[in-house]
Amino acid sequence: MNASAPKPLPPLAIAPIADADIPAVVALWQACGLTRPWNDPASDIALARRGPNSTVLIGRDGGAIVATAMAGHDGHRGWVYYVATDPERRGRGYGRVIMNAAEDWLRAAGMAKVQLMVRRENAQAGAFYQSIGYAEAQTIVFAKWLDGRAPTP
Protein backbone atom coordinates (compact mmCIF):
# COMPACT_ATOMS: atom_id res chain seq x y z
CA MET A 1 0.00 0.00 0.00
CA ASN A 2 1.28 3.46 -0.88
CA ALA A 3 2.34 5.26 2.32
CA SER A 4 0.99 8.56 1.01
CA ALA A 5 -2.43 7.16 0.06
CA PRO A 6 -5.16 8.29 2.44
CA LYS A 7 -6.34 5.71 4.92
CA PRO A 8 -9.82 4.47 3.96
CA LEU A 9 -12.55 5.71 6.26
CA PRO A 10 -14.50 3.17 8.26
CA PRO A 11 -18.03 2.41 7.14
CA LEU A 12 -20.52 3.94 9.55
CA ALA A 13 -24.26 3.91 9.17
CA ILE A 14 -25.18 7.61 9.34
CA ALA A 15 -28.75 8.62 10.16
CA PRO A 16 -30.66 11.37 11.94
CA ILE A 17 -31.18 10.72 15.64
CA ALA A 18 -34.33 8.85 16.64
CA ASP A 19 -36.20 9.11 19.94
CA ALA A 20 -34.75 5.81 21.15
CA ASP A 21 -31.19 7.08 20.53
CA ILE A 22 -31.40 10.10 22.84
CA PRO A 23 -30.23 8.46 26.11
CA ALA A 24 -27.23 6.84 24.39
CA VAL A 25 -26.31 10.08 22.63
CA VAL A 26 -26.50 12.09 25.86
CA ALA A 27 -24.35 9.45 27.58
CA LEU A 28 -21.79 9.69 24.75
CA TRP A 29 -21.70 13.49 25.01
CA GLN A 30 -21.19 13.21 28.76
CA ALA A 31 -18.40 10.64 28.30
CA CYS A 32 -16.72 13.04 25.88
CA GLY A 33 -17.02 16.02 28.24
CA LEU A 34 -19.25 17.98 25.85
CA THR A 35 -22.08 18.78 28.23
CA ARG A 36 -22.17 21.83 30.47
CA PRO A 37 -24.43 22.52 33.46
CA TRP A 38 -26.07 25.46 31.69
CA ASN A 39 -27.01 23.43 28.57
CA ASP A 40 -29.45 20.56 28.88
CA PRO A 41 -28.41 18.10 26.14
CA ALA A 42 -31.88 16.59 25.74
CA SER A 43 -33.31 20.09 25.22
CA ASP A 44 -30.55 20.85 22.69
CA ILE A 45 -31.48 17.69 20.79
CA ALA A 46 -35.18 18.60 20.85
CA LEU A 47 -34.45 22.10 19.58
CA ALA A 48 -32.27 20.77 16.74
CA ARG A 49 -34.99 18.35 15.70
CA ARG A 50 -37.74 20.98 15.78
CA GLY A 51 -37.12 22.59 12.38
CA PRO A 52 -35.66 21.94 8.94
CA ASN A 53 -32.50 24.03 9.50
CA SER A 54 -30.82 21.64 11.93
CA THR A 55 -30.29 17.98 12.68
CA VAL A 56 -28.43 15.59 14.95
CA LEU A 57 -26.60 12.91 13.00
CA ILE A 58 -25.45 9.67 14.55
CA GLY A 59 -22.92 7.18 13.28
CA ARG A 60 -23.34 3.52 14.12
CA ASP A 61 -20.76 0.77 13.97
CA GLY A 62 -22.94 -2.30 14.10
CA GLY A 63 -25.59 -1.43 16.65
CA ALA A 64 -23.43 0.91 18.72
CA ILE A 65 -23.64 4.69 18.42
CA VAL A 66 -19.98 5.67 18.06
CA ALA A 67 -20.16 9.21 16.67
CA THR A 68 -22.46 12.23 16.59
CA ALA A 69 -22.62 15.71 15.14
CA MET A 70 -25.29 18.36 15.47
CA ALA A 71 -25.48 20.50 12.33
CA GLY A 72 -27.52 23.57 11.58
CA HIS A 73 -27.53 26.76 9.58
CA ASP A 74 -28.78 30.31 9.70
CA GLY A 75 -29.36 30.53 5.94
CA HIS A 76 -25.91 31.99 5.39
CA ARG A 77 -23.41 29.62 7.00
CA GLY A 78 -23.48 26.24 8.67
CA TRP A 79 -22.50 25.39 12.22
CA VAL A 80 -21.50 22.10 13.79
CA TYR A 81 -21.83 21.25 17.48
CA TYR A 82 -21.63 18.20 19.73
CA VAL A 83 -19.10 16.34 17.58
CA ALA A 84 -18.37 13.23 19.59
CA THR A 85 -16.68 9.90 19.08
CA ASP A 86 -16.73 7.03 21.51
CA PRO A 87 -13.63 7.54 23.71
CA GLU A 88 -12.98 3.78 23.69
CA ARG A 89 -12.88 3.74 19.87
CA ARG A 90 -10.92 6.88 19.02
CA GLY A 91 -8.32 6.81 16.28
CA ARG A 92 -10.49 4.76 13.93
CA GLY A 93 -11.62 7.63 11.69
CA TYR A 94 -15.11 8.02 13.13
CA GLY A 95 -14.59 11.76 13.69
CA ARG A 96 -13.75 12.27 10.03
CA VAL A 97 -16.75 10.23 8.93
CA ILE A 98 -19.25 12.10 11.10
CA MET A 99 -17.77 15.47 10.10
CA ASN A 100 -18.02 14.48 6.42
CA ALA A 101 -21.68 13.60 7.03
CA ALA A 102 -22.34 16.95 8.74
CA GLU A 103 -20.61 18.81 5.91
CA ASP A 104 -22.64 16.87 3.33
CA TRP A 105 -25.87 17.73 5.18
CA LEU A 106 -24.93 21.42 5.19
CA ARG A 107 -23.88 21.32 1.52
CA ALA A 108 -27.25 19.81 0.63
CA ALA A 109 -28.88 22.72 2.49
CA GLY A 110 -26.98 25.15 0.25
CA MET A 111 -24.36 26.27 2.74
CA ALA A 112 -20.96 27.26 1.32
CA LYS A 113 -19.20 27.66 4.68
CA VAL A 114 -19.19 25.76 7.94
CA GLN A 115 -18.00 27.01 11.31
CA LEU A 116 -17.61 25.49 14.73
CA MET A 117 -16.38 26.57 18.13
CA VAL A 118 -13.71 24.81 20.18
CA ARG A 119 -12.87 25.71 23.75
CA ARG A 120 -9.33 27.09 23.88
CA GLU A 121 -8.25 24.48 26.42
CA ASN A 122 -9.27 21.65 24.08
CA ALA A 123 -6.05 21.40 22.06
CA GLN A 124 -6.84 17.83 21.01
CA ALA A 125 -10.07 18.91 19.31
CA GLY A 126 -8.32 21.87 17.69
CA ALA A 127 -5.65 19.57 16.28
CA PHE A 128 -8.32 17.19 14.95
CA TYR A 129 -10.17 19.97 13.12
CA GLN A 130 -6.93 21.30 11.63
CA SER A 131 -6.11 17.77 10.43
CA ILE A 132 -9.35 17.70 8.41
CA GLY A 133 -8.88 21.09 6.79
CA TYR A 134 -10.32 23.60 9.25
CA ALA A 135 -8.42 26.80 10.02
CA GLU A 136 -8.71 29.02 13.06
CA ALA A 137 -10.81 32.06 12.22
CA GLN A 138 -9.74 35.50 13.34
CA THR A 139 -13.03 36.30 15.02
CA ILE A 140 -14.14 36.78 18.58
CA VAL A 141 -17.33 35.20 19.83
CA PHE A 142 -19.46 37.40 22.06
CA ALA A 143 -22.30 35.90 24.10
CA LYS A 144 -25.18 37.10 26.23
CA TRP A 145 -27.81 35.13 28.12
CA LEU A 146 -31.21 36.50 27.12
CA ASP A 147 -32.73 35.35 30.42
CA GLY A 148 -30.37 37.55 32.45
CA ARG A 149 -27.96 34.87 33.70
CA ALA A 150 -24.36 35.81 34.36
CA PRO A 151 -21.85 35.01 31.60
CA THR A 152 -20.56 31.43 31.49
CA PRO A 153 -17.07 30.29 30.54
Side-chain angles (χ1 to χ4, degrees), residues 43-131:
S43 294
D44 289 347
I45 291 168
L47 182 60
R49 296 174 77 195
R50 194 175 302 157
N53 291 353
S54 55
T55 190
V56 179
L57 300 173
I58 60 167
R60 290 185 194 276
D61 183 359
I65 296 173
V66 297
T68 67
M70 179 184 289
H73 67 86
D74 58 15
H76 182 67
R77 68 183 52 84
W79 288 88
V80 179
Y81 308 90
Y82 286 113
V83 176
T85 58
D86 181 339
E88 300 295 317
R89 302 177 194 215
R90 293 220 170 122
R92 298 183 187 185
Y94 296 148
R96 289 176 189 269
V97 173
I98 201 68
M99 282 301 296
N100 286 347
E103 291 171 5
D104 289 346
W105 188 90
L106 290 164
R107 238 181 247 106
M111 298 303 106
K113 182 179 185 182
V114 61
Q115 297 184 157
L116 51 86
M117 294 180 281
V118 176
R119 290 181 181 86
R120 292 206 183 277
E121 68 271 12
N122 196 344
Q124 184 179 13
F128 165 71
Y129 290 116
Q130 287 180 347
S131 79

